[in-house]
Amino acid sequence: MASRLVLVLGDLFIPDRAPDIPAKFKKLLAPGKIGQILCLGNLTDNTTYDFLRGIAPDLQIVKGDFDVEAPNLPPQKVVTHGSLRIGFTHGHTIIPPGDGDALLITARHMDVDVLLWGGTHRFEAYELEGKFFVNPGSATGAVGTGWWAEGEDPVPSFCLMDVQGDVLMLYIYTLKTDANGVENVNVEKISYRKDTGLTPSAT
């Protein structure tokens, strides 16, 4: 049986702003576990593209604002899983960037239940007017502009989605560094049911 898991990631910026996807993330992203990858742009290098294709051949990509060598990528796409229409876009075309009302307008325009967007390098997930909005952050922790407080480092993150019918289970993976400099992967989950909203739950 094919995997239902969908990997959501973006804003990698390899090698310009980050050397690679963190090794502890790569260990989790083994081939055969993931059915589809939704990349929200700014992939920027062929080696990472090949790595992602090795994880799941069904690699869907939209154009980020720094994907200058891939001019033919679409700015947005829609996929269907279960009864959910899931739209994804990099987010640099959403004005103001990351604005809830602007994202809601985009979701309505795309006629989707779930909207994935990037560009801020910071994880977010929330429900608004029955729709679910997710920003997976940056899988490499690449430095962004204007979204992190001075002296605060971006936290590498990505998401996995498991959709069954009208229910989406979102798993959020973040790489935290403790006071001793040891990196640990933290996993949280949020469930969303179409038309009924969110239920946070501990793992």
Side-chain angles (χ1 to χ4, degrees), residues 61-137:
I61 309 174
V62 291
K63 184 176 173 59
D65 50 345
F66 284 84
D67 287 319
V68 293
E69 293 183 13
N72 296 323
L73 287 175
Q76 58 191 32
K77 283 187 176 183
V78 176
V79 295
T80 301
H81 287 277
S83 65
L84 300 179
R85 282 176 54 83
I86 301 169
F88 59 108
T89 184
H90 175 255
H92 66 283
T93 58
I94 295 170
I95 306 297
D99 178 75
D101 289 337
L103 289 164
L104 182 60
I105 290 168
T106 301
R108 287 174 174 163
H109 178 73
M110 294 176 71
D111 189 24
V112 294
D113 306 296
V114 179
L115 181 65
L116 313 171
W117 91 100
T120 68
H121 302 215
R122 180 189 290 272
F123 168 77
E124 286 185 73
Y126 62 90
E127 185 268 340
L128 181 63
E129 295 192 16
K131 298 184 184 297
F132 190 33
F133 297 86
V134 178
N135 185 326

Side-chain angles (χ1 to χ4, degrees), residues 20-42:
D20 201 356
I21 296 172
K24 290 196 174 184
F25 280 179
K26 281 191 164 184
K27 286 182 180 178
L28 298 171
L29 301 175
K33 293 183 178 180
I34 294 165
Q36 184 179 61
I37 300 174
L38 306 182
C39 180
L40 309 186
N42 291 336

Side-chain angles (χ1 to χ4, degrees), residues 117-189:
W117 91 100
T120 68
H121 302 215
R122 180 189 290 272
F123 168 77
E124 286 185 73
Y126 62 90
E127 185 268 340
L128 181 63
E129 295 192 16
K131 298 184 184 297
F132 190 33
F133 297 86
V134 178
N135 185 326
S138 166
T140 59
V143 175
T145 55
W147 295 99
W148 295 87
E150 189 173 338
E152 185 180 4
D153 293 325
V155 176
S157 60
F158 69 87
C159 298
L160 286 175
M161 300 189 304
D162 185 1
V163 180
Q164 299 182 51
D166 62 355
V167 176
L168 183 155
M169 187 66 72
L170 182 73
Y171 297 89
I172 306 105
Y173 293 77
T174 54
L175 188 67
K176 302 285 182 75
T177 304
D178 66 19
N180 298 318
V182 178
E183 293 182 333
N184 295 292
V185 177
N186 184 55
V187 185
E188 299 176 48
K189 66 180 179 180

